[in-house]
Amino acid sequence: MQLTIITDLNKCVGCKSCQVSCKEHNTAGAFGTVPDHDPYTEPDGMWWNRIVGMESGEYPNASVLYLPKACMHCYDAPCVPVCPTGASYKREDNGVVLVDYDSCIGCQLCMWACPYGVREFDEHEGVVKKCTMCIDRIEDDTLPDIERQPACVQSCPTHARTFGDLEDPESEVAKLVAQRQGFTLLPELGARPAVHYLPRRQAPVILDESEVLRIMEERY
Amino acid sequence: MRPTLPLLLMTVLQGLSGGLMISFGVLWWLVPSALPTLDILLWSAFLIAAIGGVASLFHMHKPKAGRYILRRLRTSWLSREALTTGIYVPALGVLVILPHLVPKIPLEYYGLGIVFTGVLGLVAMYVTAMLYATIPAMRSWHTRLTVIAMMLVGIVSGMAVAEGILAVAHVPGAGGRDFHIALLVGIAVLAGIKWMQYRHFLEARQSLRTATGTGMPAAPYRLIDSGTTKLPYRTQTQVGPELAPRRRQMLYVMMGLTLIVVPMALQIFPLQPAELGIRWTSAAIVMVCGAFVERWLFFADVTHSSRVWFGDELKRASSVSSNRVSPDFVRRFRHQDGL
Amino acid sequence: MAIENINDRTASPDGVSRIHTTCYMCACRCGIEVTVENDRIRFISGIPENPVNRGVWCAKGGAGIMTEYSPARLTTPLIRDPKAERGSGKFIPADWDTVLSLVEGWLREIRRTDPRQLAYFTGRDQMQAFNGFWAKQFGTPNWAAHGGFCSVNMAAGGMYSIGGSFWEFGWPDLEQARWFMMFGVAEDHPSNPLKLAIARLKDRGGRFVVVNPVRSGYGALADEWVPIRPGTDGAFIMALMHVLYREHLYDQEYLKRYTNAAALIEVLPGSSHDGMFIKSNDGDLLVALHSGSIVPLMEAAGQGVLEGSFIHEGKTVRPAFGVFLERLDSATPEWAERITGIPKKTIIRLAMEMGITAMRHPITLPVPWRDFYGVTHHETLGRPVAFHAMRGLAAHTNGFQTIRGLFDLMMMLGTVDVPGGFRYKSPYPKPIPPRVKPAPNRSDYQAGQAAKAPLLGYPTTPDDLLVDGDQPVRIDEAYSWKYPLAAHGVIQNVIRNAYSREPYGIDTLMIYMANVAWNSTWNTLTTRDMLQAKDDQGNYRIPHVVVIDAYDSETVAFADVVLPDTTYLERWDASSLQDRPISEPDGPADSIRQPVVSPPPGVRPAADVLIDLANRLQLPRFVDNGVQQFRDYYDFIQKWETEPGSGTGILAGRRGHEGTKTLVGEPNFQQLQAYATNKAFWSYELPDSMKYYRMANREYLSWATDAKFLASPDPIVLNFYSEVLQTFRLAGQGLWPGKSPTDPALRDRLATYFDPLPLWYPPLEDQIEANQDFPLTILTQRPMTHYHSWGSQNAWLRQLLHENPLFMNPKMAESLGLSDGQWVWIESRLGRMTATLRYSEAVDPSTVWTWNAIAKGPGSWGLDPSAPEATRAVLINHIIPDTIPLGYEGIWYNNDPITGQAGWYDAKVRVYSSDLHEVWPQVARRTPIHAGAVQTKRLAYSTRVSNAGNPRTGG
Ligand SMILES: Nc1nc2c(c(=O)[nH]1)N[C@H]1C(S)=C(S)[C@@H](COP(=O)(O)OP(=O)(O)OC[C@H]3O[C@@H](n4cnc5c(=O)[nH]c(N)nc54)[C@H](O)[C@@H]3O)O[C@H]1N2
Ligand SMILES: Nc1nc2c(c(=O)[nH]1)N[C@H]1C(S)=C(S)[C@@H](COP(=O)(O)OP(=O)(O)OC[C@H]3O[C@@H](n4cnc5c(=O)[nH]c(N)nc54)[C@H](O)[C@@H]3O)O[C@H]1N2
Ligand code: SF4
Ligand code: SF4
Ligand code: SF4
Ligand code: SF4
Ligand code: SF4
Ligand SMILES: [Mo]
């Protein structure tokens, strides 16, 4: 089993609901807090999920893309082997990569090792924190069903995010990845992320360009 | 990236100590009779390593969990570093203290100890360097050059300091010509390696691929939003702050001068022996400064793969993969004007 | 209402409870479940069953936690330090009785002498039904909510065309649409619903076209981005209609059956009948049949012709559509290309795409329904082309007519209230326009009496205007000759008018929930000066300013008295069908708020305080025969009826003594509790046969009459042609028999802009010569993470956005010699300000833009005065002109000449390099009210209990 979150970039509008709901749940959750520094002056805080926004191409063919970026729960998670204390580990039963704060020495080597820059350091507690796949929600059987999924998946207003087991071919995530050419980020670095993204797909123009040209030339 | 003081001290001093230890071994082998006078080198190596070791403790933000540090010897170069450096420094200590405790150690045994500790020093340097070189995400470090350069800086600076110390301790020429020439050759080789590494750092800055990093094939891209208004320096030290171009240039020049040019110049011109002391000592001091500058830049100028999401793309798109698609294709699929 | 009274909290032994309420981090009104742990808010999430958000929530919604604990909270009533000047933000804390007695004194005197002396303006108000009622009972005409500076063009444009509009009035049916065009929307109020809907469209592979000078947010997902020059959409829309007509890609059937496009108009320039519909003796519209005979529209049952010229009783008459065609004739794609910058070919293609999708790929649902002609349709026909539009159209001074054009385009495509097109939300459709009018005469607002009618409504002829000759009755000049159809009031005119005592001075300005000294004002520095200005005697020109706010906004500093309100998580409240309900197209719905946590001890809900004041002043219907009718707002929500005994009140669900009646029924004193235990909302799904064509659907119309949405089941014929506008034009031409202006400037304006058919004219700013030197248009967009000014106090949200560069197309920037990242001056005809420049390829070259309302006055909003919002963010309101030199006498605001909508997005600027590398202009620093809290170094919010027994907020 390998739990994962798939984000459909064809639907993500960059609203950052997932960024905030992550913090909202996790700051008071089992792996919290998710602290902020100087919250009312020059603020700088920890986020386990950040939505990067960027544009490319030239006017008027410019495109704009939003990319939610949290832990990829990599198969060959580079953050795990580098950790001297074993604080960073990948769960064998579900593939979730976690940090055991009690044995973490705060050396931050795992932050260097993570190709995606999703680990963040809590200076105050001296440990590294990151997305936990909301493991405390998923494994808490006292919660109603709808909450037994990551907060960021539950909140997403476009339902761009889907949660499930990548290795179960019947799961929605596996099907999405297969059917929609799901891809991972920076594959050349060999971390083999479990988290996938679905590419943009364009709905075609319904009429033939030549038809338009013909009409325009004839009549306008 | 913002280098931390403990890391700077630890890596530079560990290298320095290793270099000193090796110089000690070599000098002793070259001039066995000089052993009593060379003692000072051993002491220095030990003290420097000890300071480095203590500094490294400050790099742990939760020393209490330090007891788990050897848990991942099988995979973690940091575990291994803790082990190797952790053996090297005490071993050095034993080497320093032993003659004072046991007055008559057979020379061959002591020699064996020296060789053993020297090798330990080299191994510790190697392991430390591998820690950096084995992180694929650190684009600039992920190369053999990292290991070679790091060890060379340690060895060469150690040799220079050894000469300096001996000069101050009025044992001029203790190493003789051979040692001196070896040092000059070392500096020259280091210059070459650093040049290659500089090139590699530059390449690393450009090597991040937007397409695979962002899912946006139409490079280059411009960052609108990093997930917060500004780059998250505090929580993600590996991505910033970026050195300003002028500052970077200045620092590289400074490194070239302090690590290579000035020490070389001070070492190279044959002058009266009377001046040697001052010049070699100066060379040693300048070179240690150079080692710090080198190490500072090594950290500060590094390119981490996640930079690909934290700044505008540096280079223009290649002409092959630009978004200037063929007009036919545009007509068929885009139906937009002005392409 | 004390917190213990809530009976649904299923507090478990571990001290965790889940409470349902309605979010107010923006006006979208999503249903939220708030988990409370150890008396602190643990989690806010969407309620899956709620018809608005269906379980999802946005960034603001989740961050509500940090707003609740914001250091900007006002925690006690405040009175301005008598030694300090207004605006300095120096206050003395007071108790409630002291401040209320003080305000009561002012209000009592006003009411005794001249109720107009109270101007009560409410901003982002979600209890307008209550506030409007309060002001009416007080007797002043001078009340309105925020629509004037918001989007009245959109609301009025829709109400005068289809008896509904976008947002809470109606909605694109993206569940079924195949082709969707969105104009000028960055975020909008149906925030989560719009995201859900767009995602559905994308899932189904529908085509999504975005018309906007800027590409971002929703636009990022568009299959096609159509950049347009700001303020020119009207021309684009006209050209689309031009092509649709020429290609025969429009729905004649629909126009004939459901709109007045076929209705006959008298063509007799110079007469008082010119442009008016001819009518049967029963007042029915008349249409011409192919045979040439002229019959009532109802009789013709869709057979009326759309073109031609006829003679009726000796008069030349023509179908409205035919008249429009003359105008369309010159609205060619080429013409539109010159104005909009959109290539002619693109215009033609887009028109054909929408026309072909609508006409050749209709959808049919197996749902029979009966129309008002008595014809039963065995299936429901849908045209799967949907539109959505918002302030990109509305916030221009030609916005009303542009929006009229959009609705006429929708009529041409037959997409109003059909599957896959636009769909109404209850209680809409309303008659066109809705049958509510304010009392028009000065004498309707007498001392000591309630006003004679609701204070806002929809004039149908010039006779309905609130004018005394040429003089406005209202302080904001709503319903005056200058802004006749100001259906939401004109809040942005109030401060300058009160200051210059034009049309008259006032005594007390009461502001609830609007930040009028900062981001909802224009020419900001001058406006702030006016709030502080004194007359020759040294008295403030606006003698009293009362601000009701929950947070320490920039406006709070200008108050003489501050009444601290609760947050949305601390009070009872309702989203009512009388106001802004949460209805969805499938049927009516409403919702409540309930207290989730207790307010700070010094804080009271604003509505409770207003009821307290009403009771003290003995306002009619608040106090009957000396008996107080409402204890507090909790009581009001349950008890109040539109008319005593009407059975219609604030909430439509769970009415009647048993709580079993729906829509109409006696008040239920357990109603709020019943809502509270039922996920805080109520909804009712219409049967399928009543879901579409509601303006023409017999079954629906009679149901809606029973539900009191409508006064009668009369058919609602869509106004392709607006006779109402024509009456105003006649008044402008001096042909109207009733009220008419005498000032030629006023006449001219009516005659020019009150065209009964859509037209495009350049925004007013483009018409003035001074702007030739200012070639760029400056816009703002709403960030998805911030709601106007109030996001910045939120520790989490402000990290996401706290500075805002000016975005400019790189080619434009390079042609101006400007480079990425540099400081620039932005100068309008009003003055100049600095900003940093940021290149963006995703913006039309003639446009520059930045985020709205991110900049803050130093020290406001619980932020350190050196916070980036004060030192690096920029507020472009400083340079947006509030008035416009039209060459006439008096003050003319930069408002739409029809509705009074503020023309925010008309501002013209030039941009050039700046040597000054800091934000300029700047206002004086203030000390934050809770200065200590602002200095928090580390915030680590948690609801878990530490060993010490306290919830952890970190070291
Ligand atoms: N998150 C969040 N949501 C909000 C608000 C908020 O502050 N924050 N505010 C609420 C309020 S009060 C309102 S009124 C709504 C407004 O909701 P929107 O209408 O979405 O508001 P704006 O951000 O003004 O977006 C206007 C859009 O129109 C574009 N535009 C400007 N001029 C033109 C033009 O001439 N033609 C076209 N086609 N486009 C143009 C701009 O580029 C921008 O994208 O949002 C509401 N929702
Ligand atoms: N440049 C530019 N200016 C614009 C716009 C634009 O697009 N560009 N948009 C315009 C539009 S559409 C609008 S609607 C206006 C909005 O402008 P405003 O109506 O001024 O909106 P806010 O900034 O949200 O201010 C609302 C006030 O309500 C207070 N408040 C919040 N919650 C509560 C509460 O629970 N109780 C009480 N009593 N008070 C509360 C806040 O503290 C704040 O002071 O801005 C307009 N200004
Ligand atoms: S919540 Fe959904 S739409 Fe919003 S940024 Fe996250 S993934 Fe994108
Ligand atoms: S994304 Fe980074 S932190 Fe997460 S598993 Fe992969 S390497 Fe580790
Ligand atoms: S910071 Fe903690 S988790 Fe990361 S490598 Fe060091 S010990 Fe492991
Ligand atoms: S899975 Fe949970 S922890 Fe990870 S990003 Fe989503 S909300 Fe945050
Ligand atoms: S859209 Fe508005 S009402 Fe809905 S959750 Fe977000 S802030 Fe709250
Ligand atoms: Mo608004």
Side-chain angles (χ1 to χ4, degrees), chain C residues 436-476:
Chain C
V436 198
K437 291 173 192 177
N441 305 309
R442 245 179 121 148
S443 56
D444 296 325
Y445 306 91
Q446 296 281 346
Q449 286 178 26
K452 299 275 180 308
L455 301 177
L456 296 177
Y458 300 88
T460 49
T461 72
D463 301 343
D464 295 334
L465 292 193
L466 273 67
V467 286
D468 196 359
D470 284 359
Q471 280 304 302
V473 168
R474 287 177 52 119
I475 181 77
D476 62 350

Side-chain angles (χ1 to χ4, degrees), chain C residues 26 60 124 146 150-151 183-189 191 211-214 228-233 390-393 396 779-788 852 905:
Chain C
C26 86
K60 294 163 280 142
R124 318 237 23 83
H146 72 288
C150 181
S151 312
F183 289 89
V185 176
E187 168 66 330
D188 208 354
H189 273 126
S191 170
V211 184
N212 198 317
V214 185
I228 187 169
R229 285 190 200 124
T232 65
D233 302 71
M390 228 341 228
R391 292 186 66 252
L393 302 195
H396 293 284
L779 305 176
T780 60
Q781 295 205 95
R782 275 141 181 62
M784 292 190 180
T785 51
H786 286 241
Y787 197 62
H788 297 286
N852 183 41
Y905 294 162

Side-chain angles (χ1 to χ4, degrees), chain A residues 7 11-19 49 51 66 68 152 155-161, chain C residues 195:
Chain A
T7 305
K11 294 207 294 198
C12 175
V13 293
C15 72
K16 299 188 182 169
S17 168
C18 53
Q19 180 162 351
N49 184 19
I51 318 311
Y66 301 101
C152 58
S155 73
C156 172
T158 63
H159 294 307
R161 286 164 86 80
Chain C
K195 294 186 185 75

Side-chain angles (χ1 to χ4, degrees), chain A residues 5 18-19 21-23 25-26 48-49 69-71 73 130-138 149-153 161 163:
Chain A
I5 294 171
C18 53
Q19 180 162 351
S21 59
C22 172
K23 185 149 182 154
H25 167 72
N26 286 300
W48 296 353
N49 184 19
K69 195 166 62 67
C71 177
H73 298 279
K130 68 164 196 71
C131 158
T132 65
M133 192 71 91
C134 286
I135 194 80
D136 52 339
R137 287 163 69 93
I138 292 161
Q149 60 175 337
C152 58
V153 175
R161 286 164 86 80
F163 165 73

Side-chain angles (χ1 to χ4, degrees), chain C residues 907-934:
Chain C
K908 310 296 277 186
V909 296
R910 63 168 167 245
V911 179
Y912 50 93
S913 185
S914 167
D915 288 335
L916 185 63
H917 290 189
E918 63 185 37
V919 169
W920 193 92
Q922 273 174 351
V923 301
R925 289 178 161 226
R926 289 166 58 196
T927 312
I929 39 166
H930 301 296
V934 169

Side-chain angles (χ1 to χ4, degrees), chain C residues 560-579:
Chain C
D560 300 316
V561 167
V562 181
L563 305 177
D565 194 4
T566 49
T567 69
Y568 68 108
L569 295 174
E570 298 166 350
R571 61 180 178 240
W572 290 101
D573 203 349
S575 290
S576 163
L577 283 160
Q578 304 300 325
D579 189 335

Side-chain angles (χ1 to χ4, degrees), chain C residues 701-942:
Chain C
L701 290 169
S702 84
W703 176 85
T705 310
D706 294 340
K708 303 211 177 167
F709 293 168
L710 297 171
S712 74
D714 294 341
I716 298 169
V717 178
L718 305 184
N719 279 9
F720 188 88
Y721 183 92
S722 177
E723 192 184 49
V724 173
L725 295 196
Q726 179 64 11
T727 63
F728 285 87
R729 184 152 76 168
L730 289 172
Q733 293 166 341
L735 299 170
W736 181 250
K739 283 189 190 172
S740 299
T742 55
D743 182 344
L746 295 170
R747 291 193 163 201
D748 194 40
R749 205 151 125 123
L750 294 181
T752 311
Y753 299 114
F754 276 77
D755 198 301
L757 286 161
L759 83 162
W760 180 81
Y761 56 88
L764 301 185
E765 281 284 324
D766 283 346
Q767 300 180 20
I768 59 176
E769 210 146 285
N771 273 335
Q772 277 169 1
D773 298 335
F774 302 97
L776 302 169
T777 305
I778 191 164
L779 305 176
T780 60
Q781 295 205 95
R782 275 141 181 62
M784 292 190 180
T785 51
H786 286 241
Y787 197 62
H788 297 286
S789 57
W790 84 51
S792 301
Q793 63 181 310
N794 188 299
W796 295 343
L797 295 180
R798 67 183 291 255
Q799 285 178 52
L800 306 181
L801 194 55
H802 49 237
E803 47 189 298
N804 54 327
L806 184 75
F807 292 96
M808 185 187 267
N809 188 295
K811 292 216 179 60
M812 176 55 71
E814 277 151 23
S815 79
L816 296 172
L818 301 173
S819 49
D820 198 26
Q822 79 163 93
W823 281 90
V824 291
W825 285 108
I826 319 171
E827 182 173 348
S828 78
R829 63 180 172 85
L830 201 62
R832 64 179 192 168
M833 59 179 282
T834 55
T836 50
L837 193 75
R838 182 74 170 131
Y839 282 7
S840 170
E841 294 281 357
V843 52
D844 156 73
S846 73
T847 307
V848 288
W849 74 276
T850 190
W851 298 113
N852 183 41
I854 295 304
K856 296 283 138 23
S860 297
W861 292 102
L863 301 181
D864 189 87
S866 68
E869 285 89 339
T871 52
R872 296 202 297 277
V874 297
L875 184 77
I876 69 157
N877 297 46
H878 287 308
I879 59 164
I880 302 181
D882 51 345
T883 61
I884 190 159
L886 292 174
Y888 305 132
E889 235 180 78
I891 301 166
W892 295 75
Y893 289 97
N894 185 9
N895 293 343
D896 188 289
I898 298 173
T899 61
Q901 154 99 46
W904 296 109
Y905 294 162
D906 290 348
K908 310 296 277 186
V909 296
R910 63 168 167 245
V911 179
Y912 50 93
S913 185
S914 167
D915 288 335
L916 185 63
H917 290 189
E918 63 185 37
V919 169
W920 193 92
Q922 273 174 351
V923 301
R925 289 178 161 226
R926 289 166 58 196
T927 312
I929 39 166
H930 301 296
V934 169
Q935 297 312 320
T936 310
K937 279 282 147 222
R938 181 170 185 271
L939 174 71
Y941 182 76
S942 174

